[in-house]
Amino acid sequence: MNPKNLELNSKWTSVEPRLGWRHFRIVMRRYQGEPSQLQIELMAACDRDARLWVAAEELKDDQLFVPGWLGKDSL
């Protein structure tokens, strides 16, 4: 998988827990103003109600997110 792939349903691991979870998948994308301001909605893998919006740039930052679902020891 391309590590910077932002396709719907792609899996991501947050380096630090967010909303109490670390594993997410992309469920929606939207642009805020300019096309360069892509926003991504993430849904926790184990809780459909745990959702958050992040800037696409956050997903591209390896210190915040890594592609795929990884365990703590893999980060």
Side-chain angles (χ1 to χ4, degrees):
M1 173 170 96
N2 179 347
K4 305 306 178 198
N5 185 350
L6 301 177
E7 294 296 317
L8 292 178
N9 292 313
S10 62
K11 299 171 183 174
W12 292 85
T13 299
S14 175
V15 173
E16 295 295 326
R18 294 178 183 231
L19 303 176
W21 301 100
R22 295 170 44 85
H23 297 120
F24 295 88
R25 67 181 184 88
I26 295 176
V27 293
M28 190 176 294
R29 297 177 300 202
R30 70 179 178 199
Y31 291 99
Q32 290 293 103
E34 299 295 318
S36 62
Q37 296 175 349
L38 179 62
Q39 298 284 312
I40 305 292
E41 184 181 21
L42 298 172
M43 180 178 72
C46 295
D47 183 354
R48 291 178 173 245
D49 293 327
R51 294 174 178 240
L52 68 142
W53 286 94
V54 298
E57 295 304 314
E58 286 186 55
L59 285 182
K60 295 177 181 179
D61 185 340
D62 293 339
Q63 294 182 11
L64 299 175
F65 286 94
V66 291
W69 288 344
L70 304 176
K72 279 183 174 180
D73 298 336
S74 301
L75 297 174

